[in-house]
Amino acid sequence: MTLQSRNLSLAYGKRVVVEGLDLDVPEGRVTAIVGPNGCGKSTALRGLARLLRPTAGQVLLDGTDIHSLPTRTVARRVGLLPQSPIVPEGITVAELVARGRHPHHGLLRQWTRDDDRIVAESLERTHTTDLAGRPVDQLSGGQRQRVWIAMALAQRTGLLLLDEPTSFLDIAHQVEVLDLVRDLSVEDGTTVVMVLHDLPLAARYADHLIAMRDGAIVAEGRPRDVVTADTVCDVFGITCRVRWEHAGDVSVIPLGRHLPTHGQESPEEPPHARVRVAGRP
Ligand SMILES: Nc1ncnc2c1ncn2[C@@H]1O[C@H](COP(=O)(O)OP(=O)(O)O)[C@@H](O)[C@H]1O
Ligand SMILES: [Mg+2]
């Protein structure tokens, strides 16, 4: 399934937020969008998911203008995890994840054992099975995030648009979600577009990287070509040190106005912290 945009412009009222966006999302691959707050990443994703009508240009799903397709058809093909999804009051985890199956139902197609299986699998893959009976509004930010991902998985769409899927997650759960995203791409051939803030993680997990600023693409391509000190400066307006390792990992060290507080000679230097691990002396 291909997703493209041609000269796409998106606005809220008179305020144009995305302008002239030309995108060719690589099929079956993971694409990450990075860029500063407010540059239009979420707006672009909403446009791609047909939640916003373009003021100019088009979004093409398999070559067809997405606005000419029935809502249900789009919902079966494109899944969107919004940045701040609204939790329906009192809904349990199992109920929310089951809603992911709605686009596949209709007058003639009722709930089946296949749906049960897909919901169970989605819970399992996101390690949320234990939470199934809990009300979603009583979960921690990280648990809730994983439950929304489970719902998106339950839609079983060939295309997944994830807006900051790792926000609220600790580092271990971030890696778990990103590993899952790669599994979906490698094992199921799912096409993923996700907004991420962490450049090294975006570089590690994405095949294709898009850097945005002011509603337009500044750089795009293989992570190795996009994550450079120059591009980071262009996009975020900061100076940083970028170091690529052989294995394809990158470290991005922002150089702010201050030097590290440790490692400097100072007579009043506080004693080094002692790291204690529980159960060890
Ligand atoms: N629903 C909305 N109504 C009006 N303006 C909006 C709305 N959503 C976002 N914006 C504005 O559009 C710009 C881009 O927002 P957004 O796409 O959310 O940026 P990002 O996801 O890159 O942080 C921002 O200036 C924001 O204030
Ligand atoms: Mg956003």
Side-chain angles (χ1 to χ4, degrees):
M1 204 181 316
T2 63
L3 183 68
Q4 300 162 302
S5 75
R6 290 292 171 261
N7 191 34
L8 179 68
S9 294
L10 300 163
Y12 300 103
K14 284 219 165 92
R15 178 138 181 258
V16 178
V17 170
V18 168
E19 202 165 13
L21 201 68
D22 283 315
L23 261 185
D24 286 278
V25 175
E27 218 177 329
R29 298 297 176 102
V30 178
T31 297
I33 302 179
V34 298
N37 296 136
C39 75
K41 304 180 297 295
S42 296
T43 303
L45 235 50
R46 275 184 223 129
L48 292 175
R50 213 187 80 144
L51 296 184
L52 283 174
R53 191 172 274 280
T55 49
Q58 291 180 315
V59 174
L60 303 169
L61 187 60
D62 277 339
T64 307
D65 187 335
I66 202 166
H67 280 275
S68 70
L69 294 167
T71 309
R72 192 179 284 273
T73 306
V74 176
R76 279 179 190 165
R77 296 195 198 163
V78 184
L80 170 72
L81 172 66
Q83 190 171 346
S84 320
I86 294 158
V87 179
E89 217 181 310
I91 198 167
T92 66
V93 168
E95 287 162 355
L96 184 74
V97 176
R99 288 199 178 186
R101 300 302 301 152
H102 280 188
H104 300 276
H105 298 148
L107 285 175
L108 300 174
R109 162 90 168 68
Q110 303 297 323
W111 190 268
T112 66
R113 278 162 67 181
D114 237 16
D115 294 311
D116 278 329
R117 181 180 55 76
I118 291 169
V119 167
E121 269 176 31
S122 306
L123 291 167
E124 229 162 80
R125 281 182 111 167
T126 50
H127 301 284
T128 50
T129 308
D130 292 348
L131 305 174
R134 300 263 303 271
V136 178
D137 48 21
Q138 288 175 17
L139 301 179
S140 75
Q143 291 171 329
R144 202 178 293 186
Q145 189 71 4
R146 283 185 286 137
V147 167
W148 280 112
I149 293 167
M151 195 200 84
L153 290 187
Q155 281 184 54
R156 287 289 170 97
T157 53
L159 239 158
L160 264 181
L161 309 175
L162 307 172
D163 200 347
E164 301 195 24
T166 55
S167 58
F168 307 114
L169 300 181
D170 63 47
I171 186 84
H173 283 114
Q174 285 184 40
V175 168
E176 196 178 293
V177 163
L178 293 171
D179 275 339
L180 174 61
V181 163
R182 271 224 81 83
D183 289 345
L184 291 172
S185 147
V186 173
E187 292 165 16
D188 308 1
T190 306
T191 302
V192 181
V193 182
M194 59 181 171
V195 175
L196 284 185
H197 276 300
D198 190 301
L199 290 174
L201 284 181
R204 172 171 251 266
Y205 281 95
D207 303 294
H208 190 74
L209 206 58
I210 296 174
M212 276 181 74
R213 194 193 61 201
D214 300 332
I217 295 174
V218 174
E220 157 174 44
R222 289 186 315 168
R224 192 180 271 277
D225 300 325
V226 173
V227 182
T228 63
D230 281 348
T231 310
V232 175
C233 182
D234 248 14
V235 172
F236 294 97
I238 59 161
T239 311
C240 67
R241 198 159 50 219
V242 172
R243 217 174 265 147
W244 277 95
E245 317 283 346
H246 309 295
D249 282 318
V250 65
S251 54
V252 178
I253 300 160
L255 306 175
R257 289 183 295 105
H258 294 272
L259 289 169
T261 53
H262 52 86
Q264 296 171 64
E265 297 276 332
S266 154
E268 284 126 62
E269 195 181 349
H272 289 293
R274 291 195 42 168
V275 179
R276 283 233 192 102
V277 179
R280 290 197 205 150

